[in-house]
Tab-separated table of all heavy atoms in Angstrom:
chain	number	residue	atom	x	y	z
N	707	THR	N	-4.722	-13.187	3.843
N	707	THR	CA	-3.839	-12.292	4.519
N	707	THR	C	-4.430	-11.880	5.903
N	707	THR	O	-3.714	-11.885	6.910
N	707	THR	CB	-3.610	-10.992	3.657
N	707	THR	OG1	-4.864	-10.547	3.169
N	707	THR	CG2	-2.691	-11.272	2.505
N	730	GLY	N	0.189	-7.263	5.375
N	730	GLY	CA	0.963	-6.095	5.046
N	730	GLY	C	0.316	-4.849	5.606
N	730	GLY	O	-0.587	-4.281	5.025
N	789	CYS	N	-14.327	3.467	1.855
N	789	CYS	CA	-13.834	2.871	3.075
N	789	CYS	C	-12.646	1.967	2.768
N	789	CYS	O	-12.782	0.749	2.645
N	789	CYS	CB	-15.011	2.084	3.673
N	789	CYS	SG	-14.639	1.162	5.134
N	790	GLY	N	-11.518	2.606	2.486
N	790	GLY	CA	-10.342	1.877	2.043
N	790	GLY	C	-10.372	1.679	0.530
N	790	GLY	O	-11.453	1.722	-0.085
N	791	ALA	N	-9.205	1.428	-0.012
N	791	ALA	CA	-9.136	1.102	-1.437
N	791	ALA	C	-9.921	-0.185	-1.701
N	791	ALA	O	-10.446	-0.408	-2.764
N	791	ALA	CB	-7.661	0.914	-1.839
N	792	LYS	N	-9.955	-1.004	-0.697
N	792	LYS	CA	-10.677	-2.255	-0.824
N	792	LYS	C	-12.153	-2.072	-1.207
N	792	LYS	O	-12.658	-2.743	-2.099
N	792	LYS	CB	-10.582	-3.069	0.497
N	792	LYS	CG	-10.789	-4.535	0.355
N	792	LYS	CD	-10.580	-5.228	1.716
N	792	LYS	CE	-9.543	-6.303	1.628
N	792	LYS	NZ	-9.277	-6.989	2.900
N	793	GLN	N	-12.788	-1.106	-0.537
N	793	GLN	CA	-14.185	-0.882	-0.880
N	793	GLN	C	-14.337	-0.199	-2.254
N	793	GLN	O	-15.266	-0.472	-2.981
N	793	GLN	CB	-14.887	-0.031	0.184
N	793	GLN	CG	-16.383	-0.018	-0.034
N	793	GLN	CD	-17.093	1.107	0.682
N	793	GLN	OE1	-16.471	2.080	1.163
N	793	GLN	NE2	-18.406	1.030	0.734
N	794	ALA	N	-13.355	0.642	-2.611
N	794	ALA	CA	-13.396	1.237	-3.932
N	794	ALA	C	-13.340	0.142	-5.014
N	794	ALA	O	-14.154	0.124	-5.942
N	794	ALA	CB	-12.241	2.209	-4.157
N	795	LEU	N	-12.485	-0.816	-4.813
N	795	LEU	CA	-12.355	-1.976	-5.737
N	795	LEU	C	-13.637	-2.777	-5.759
N	795	LEU	O	-14.113	-3.167	-6.835
N	795	LEU	CB	-11.159	-2.822	-5.342
N	795	LEU	CG	-9.783	-2.163	-5.538
N	795	LEU	CD1	-8.724	-2.913	-4.686
N	795	LEU	CD2	-9.377	-2.153	-6.979
N	816	TRP	N	-3.104	-10.008	-5.781
N	816	TRP	CA	-3.530	-9.833	-4.350
N	816	TRP	C	-4.759	-10.694	-4.131
N	816	TRP	O	-5.695	-10.703	-4.981
N	816	TRP	CB	-3.847	-8.327	-4.140
N	816	TRP	CG	-4.319	-8.008	-2.765
N	816	TRP	CD1	-3.855	-8.534	-1.575
N	816	TRP	CD2	-5.389	-7.121	-2.451
N	816	TRP	NE1	-4.555	-8.024	-0.518
N	816	TRP	CE2	-5.531	-7.170	-1.027
N	816	TRP	CE3	-6.248	-6.332	-3.146
N	816	TRP	CZ2	-6.469	-6.421	-0.340
N	816	TRP	CZ3	-7.179	-5.608	-2.495
N	816	TRP	CH2	-7.295	-5.615	-1.092
N	818	THR	N	-7.510	-10.557	-2.821
N	818	THR	CA	-8.873	-10.060	-2.839
N	818	THR	C	-9.506	-9.904	-4.210
N	818	THR	O	-10.727	-9.938	-4.319
N	818	THR	CB	-8.865	-8.730	-2.031
N	818	THR	OG1	-8.645	-9.073	-0.670
N	818	THR	CG2	-10.190	-7.982	-2.131
N	819	TYR	N	-8.688	-9.703	-5.248
N	819	TYR	CA	-9.297	-9.464	-6.576
N	819	TYR	C	-10.242	-10.596	-7.056
N	819	TYR	O	-11.396	-10.323	-7.393
N	819	TYR	CB	-8.260	-9.233	-7.681
N	819	TYR	CG	-7.275	-8.079	-7.452
N	819	TYR	CD1	-5.907	-8.248	-7.717
N	819	TYR	CD2	-7.715	-6.861	-7.003
N	819	TYR	CE1	-5.050	-7.194	-7.527
N	819	TYR	CE2	-6.840	-5.814	-6.811
N	819	TYR	CZ	-5.486	-6.007	-7.072
N	819	TYR	OH	-4.629	-4.992	-6.846
N	862	ASN	N	-1.847	-3.870	-11.060
N	862	ASN	CA	-1.460	-3.532	-9.695
N	862	ASN	C	0.053	-3.333	-9.657
N	862	ASN	O	0.834	-4.272	-9.761
N	862	ASN	CB	-1.872	-4.654	-8.746
N	862	ASN	CG	-1.353	-4.489	-7.313
N	862	ASN	OD1	-1.003	-5.458	-6.663
N	862	ASN	ND2	-1.308	-3.261	-6.819
N	864	PRO	N	3.020	-0.566	-7.706
N	864	PRO	CA	3.844	-1.706	-7.317
N	864	PRO	C	2.948	-2.877	-6.866
N	864	PRO	O	1.926	-2.680	-6.246
N	864	PRO	CB	4.708	-1.173	-6.150
N	864	PRO	CG	4.703	0.317	-6.366
N	864	PRO	CD	3.415	0.680	-6.980
N	865	ASN	N	3.425	-4.057	-7.159
N	865	ASN	CA	2.555	-5.213	-7.058
N	865	ASN	C	2.645	-5.935	-5.697
N	865	ASN	O	3.723	-6.159	-5.170
N	865	ASN	CB	2.977	-6.249	-8.168
N	865	ASN	CG	2.101	-7.428	-8.220
N	865	ASN	OD1	2.346	-8.423	-7.529
N	865	ASN	ND2	1.055	-7.393	-9.004
N	866	ASN	N	1.461	-6.264	-5.218
N	866	ASN	CA	1.361	-7.141	-4.044
N	866	ASN	C	1.000	-8.531	-4.602
N	866	ASN	O	-0.073	-8.630	-5.230
N	866	ASN	CB	0.271	-6.642	-3.115
N	866	ASN	CG	0.022	-7.549	-1.913
N	866	ASN	OD1	0.758	-8.528	-1.695
N	866	ASN	ND2	-0.963	-7.203	-1.109
N	895	ASP	N	-4.669	-0.418	-9.555
N	895	ASP	CA	-4.587	-0.363	-8.080
N	895	ASP	C	-3.207	0.131	-7.734
N	895	ASP	O	-2.223	-0.591	-7.938
N	895	ASP	CB	-4.882	-1.781	-7.503
N	895	ASP	CG	-4.741	-1.814	-6.009
N	895	ASP	OD1	-4.292	-0.847	-5.389
N	895	ASP	OD2	-5.083	-2.884	-5.420
N	896	GLU	N	-3.125	1.354	-7.203
N	896	GLU	CA	-1.852	2.033	-6.968
N	896	GLU	C	-1.579	2.285	-5.504
N	896	GLU	O	-0.862	3.211	-5.158
N	896	GLU	CB	-1.878	3.311	-7.791
N	896	GLU	CG	-2.179	3.001	-9.224
N	896	GLU	CD	-2.256	4.184	-10.181
N	896	GLU	OE1	-2.053	5.323	-9.753
N	896	GLU	OE2	-2.552	3.931	-11.372
N	897	ILE	N	-2.111	1.416	-4.690
N	897	ILE	CA	-2.034	1.622	-3.227
N	897	ILE	C	-0.591	1.665	-2.706
N	897	ILE	O	-0.312	2.304	-1.719
N	897	ILE	CB	-2.909	0.588	-2.444
N	897	ILE	CG1	-3.094	0.945	-0.988
N	897	ILE	CG2	-2.350	-0.794	-2.565
N	897	ILE	CD1	-4.202	1.887	-0.749
N	898	TYR	N	0.351	1.000	-3.446
N	898	TYR	CA	1.758	1.024	-2.985
N	898	TYR	C	2.599	2.015	-3.740
N	898	TYR	O	3.828	1.977	-3.738
N	898	TYR	CB	2.352	-0.370	-3.137
N	898	TYR	CG	1.688	-1.397	-2.242
N	898	TYR	CD1	0.696	-2.229	-2.733
N	898	TYR	CD2	2.068	-1.550	-0.894
N	898	TYR	CE1	0.043	-3.164	-1.900
N	898	TYR	CE2	1.437	-2.454	-0.086
N	898	TYR	CZ	0.444	-3.266	-0.593
N	898	TYR	OH	-0.202	-4.169	0.237
N	925	VAL	N	-7.199	3.608	-8.557
N	925	VAL	CA	-7.557	3.381	-7.184
N	925	VAL	C	-6.335	3.573	-6.288
N	925	VAL	O	-5.235	3.142	-6.623
N	925	VAL	CB	-8.094	1.922	-6.997
N	925	VAL	CG1	-8.333	1.624	-5.513
N	925	VAL	CG2	-9.362	1.664	-7.813
N	926	ASN	N	-6.541	4.254	-5.205
N	926	ASN	CA	-5.445	4.536	-4.304
N	926	ASN	C	-6.012	4.754	-2.874
N	926	ASN	O	-7.234	4.630	-2.678
N	926	ASN	CB	-4.577	5.733	-4.770
N	926	ASN	CG	-3.144	5.637	-4.354
N	926	ASN	OD1	-2.808	5.176	-3.267
N	926	ASN	ND2	-2.247	6.096	-5.247
N	927	GLY	N	-5.194	5.109	-1.922
N	927	GLY	CA	-5.678	5.349	-0.566
N	927	GLY	C	-4.566	5.753	0.330
N	927	GLY	O	-3.416	5.923	-0.113
N	928	VAL	N	-4.870	5.878	1.586
N	928	VAL	CA	-3.877	6.373	2.528
N	928	VAL	C	-3.293	5.308	3.423
N	928	VAL	O	-2.328	5.539	4.149
N	928	VAL	CB	-4.462	7.504	3.443
N	928	VAL	CG1	-4.816	8.737	2.616
N	928	VAL	CG2	-5.680	7.019	4.232
N	929	SER	N	-3.806	4.068	3.315
N	929	SER	CA	-3.415	3.012	4.244
N	929	SER	C	-1.899	2.771	4.292
N	929	SER	O	-1.343	2.704	5.403
N	929	SER	CB	-4.053	1.667	3.826
N	929	SER	OG	-5.423	1.703	4.171
N	930	LYS	N	-1.316	2.579	3.156
N	930	LYS	CA	0.106	2.092	3.155
N	930	LYS	C	1.059	3.255	3.287
N	930	LYS	O	1.978	3.213	4.110
N	930	LYS	CB	0.365	1.341	1.834
N	930	LYS	CG	-0.663	0.303	1.482
N	930	LYS	CD	-0.686	-0.897	2.365
N	930	LYS	CE	-1.890	-1.765	2.035
N	930	LYS	NZ	-1.974	-3.021	2.730
N	934	MET	N	-1.929	4.242	7.748
N	934	MET	CA	-3.266	4.529	8.176
N	934	MET	C	-4.285	3.381	7.858
N	934	MET	O	-5.394	3.611	7.491
N	934	MET	CB	-3.796	5.824	7.486
N	934	MET	CG	-3.056	7.078	7.964
N	934	MET	SD	-3.672	8.525	7.089
N	934	MET	CE	-5.308	8.745	7.781
N	935	THR	N	-3.792	2.143	8.010
N	935	THR	CA	-4.633	1.014	7.607
N	935	THR	C	-5.953	0.973	8.367
N	935	THR	O	-6.993	0.600	7.786
N	935	THR	CB	-3.896	-0.342	7.851
N	935	THR	OG1	-3.271	-0.249	9.150
N	935	THR	CG2	-2.854	-0.554	6.790
N	936	GLY	N	-5.943	1.364	9.636
N	936	GLY	CA	-7.188	1.251	10.426
N	936	GLY	C	-8.168	2.376	10.205
N	936	GLY	O	-9.315	2.302	10.644
N	938	ARG	N	-9.344	3.489	7.374
N	938	ARG	CA	-10.220	3.076	6.286
N	938	ARG	C	-10.622	4.194	5.331
N	938	ARG	O	-11.791	4.605	5.261
N	938	ARG	CB	-11.462	2.349	6.835
N	938	ARG	CG	-11.257	1.266	7.841
N	938	ARG	CD	-10.229	0.206	7.416
N	938	ARG	NE	-10.566	-0.470	6.212
N	938	ARG	CZ	-9.661	-0.636	5.192
N	938	ARG	NH1	-8.407	-0.179	5.238
N	938	ARG	NH2	-10.016	-1.270	4.125
N	939	VAL	N	-9.628	4.698	4.648
N	939	VAL	CA	-9.927	5.712	3.640
N	939	VAL	C	-9.144	5.329	2.340
N	939	VAL	O	-7.922	5.162	2.348
N	939	VAL	CB	-9.509	7.145	4.023
N	939	VAL	CG1	-9.873	8.118	2.927
N	939	VAL	CG2	-10.180	7.527	5.361
N	940	GLY	N	-9.930	5.170	1.255
N	940	GLY	CA	-9.344	4.943	-0.030
N	940	GLY	C	-10.105	5.809	-1.023
N	940	GLY	O	-11.066	6.477	-0.638
N	941	PHE	N	-9.679	5.787	-2.255
N	941	PHE	CA	-10.426	6.629	-3.212
N	941	PHE	C	-10.237	6.116	-4.643
N	941	PHE	O	-9.292	5.298	-4.890
N	941	PHE	CB	-10.054	8.120	-3.142
N	941	PHE	CG	-8.555	8.363	-2.985
N	941	PHE	CD1	-7.724	8.454	-4.079
N	941	PHE	CD2	-8.006	8.525	-1.724
N	941	PHE	CE1	-6.356	8.690	-3.922
N	941	PHE	CE2	-6.604	8.779	-1.543
N	941	PHE	CZ	-5.807	8.851	-2.662
N	1015	PHE	N	6.228	-3.553	0.632
N	1015	PHE	CA	7.016	-4.036	1.773
N	1015	PHE	C	6.917	-5.538	1.897
N	1015	PHE	O	6.790	-6.067	3.010
N	1015	PHE	CB	6.658	-3.284	3.065
N	1015	PHE	CG	5.188	-2.919	3.232
N	1015	PHE	CD1	4.194	-3.869	3.128
N	1015	PHE	CD2	4.830	-1.622	3.504
N	1015	PHE	CE1	2.884	-3.531	3.316
N	1015	PHE	CE2	3.496	-1.254	3.683
N	1015	PHE	CZ	2.510	-2.239	3.585
N	1016	TYR	N	6.988	-6.194	0.735
N	1016	TYR	CA	6.928	-7.664	0.717
N	1016	TYR	C	8.208	-8.230	0.084
N	1016	TYR	O	8.651	-7.741	-0.943
N	1016	TYR	CB	5.725	-8.162	-0.012
N	1016	TYR	CG	4.433	-7.587	0.457
N	1016	TYR	CD1	3.673	-6.747	-0.345
N	1016	TYR	CD2	3.967	-7.850	1.745
N	1016	TYR	CE1	2.473	-6.226	0.099
N	1016	TYR	CE2	2.766	-7.309	2.212
N	1016	TYR	CZ	2.032	-6.440	1.383
N	1016	TYR	OH	0.884	-5.937	1.821
N	1062	ARG	N	5.128	-15.199	1.068
N	1062	ARG	CA	5.223	-13.728	1.106
N	1062	ARG	C	5.584	-13.337	2.536
N	1062	ARG	O	4.890	-13.663	3.491
N	1062	ARG	CB	3.896	-13.101	0.736
N	1062	ARG	CG	4.079	-11.566	0.447
N	1062	ARG	CD	2.745	-10.840	0.373
N	1062	ARG	NE	2.177	-10.661	1.691
N	1062	ARG	CZ	1.085	-9.978	1.971
N	1062	ARG	NH1	0.438	-9.365	0.951
N	1062	ARG	NH2	0.604	-9.865	3.179
L	2369	LIG	N1	-4.854	-3.187	-2.910
L	2369	LIG	C1	-3.769	-3.970	-2.541
L	2369	LIG	C2	-2.883	-4.502	-3.584
L	2369	LIG	C3	-3.578	-4.221	-1.191
L	2369	LIG	O1	-2.538	-4.938	-0.836
L	2369	LIG	C4	-4.436	-3.664	-0.230
L	2369	LIG	C5	-4.170	-4.033	1.171
L	2369	LIG	N2	-4.740	-3.461	2.157
L	2369	LIG	C6	-5.519	-2.874	-0.706
L	2369	LIG	C7	-5.664	-2.693	-2.059
L	2369	LIG	C8	-6.536	-2.259	0.200
L	2369	LIG	O2	-6.097	-1.287	1.039
L	2369	LIG	P1	-7.052	-0.450	1.947
L	2369	LIG	O3	-8.424	-1.026	1.850
L	2369	LIG	O4	-6.505	-0.567	3.327
L	2369	LIG	O5	-7.001	0.924	1.414
Side-chain angles (χ1 to χ4, degrees):
T707 46
C789 175
K792 202 176 237 179
Q793 192 197 12
L795 292 161
W816 178 42
T818 291
Y819 302 137
N862 174 216
N865 183 274
N866 177 5
D895 178 351
E896 305 178 1
I897 192 85
Y898 296 96
V925 175
N926 210 322
V928 295
S929 286
K930 313 289 173 174
M934 292 179 70
T935 44
R938 311 309 301 132
V939 182
F941 43 86
F1015 36 55
Y1016 306 115
R1062 194 194 73 175

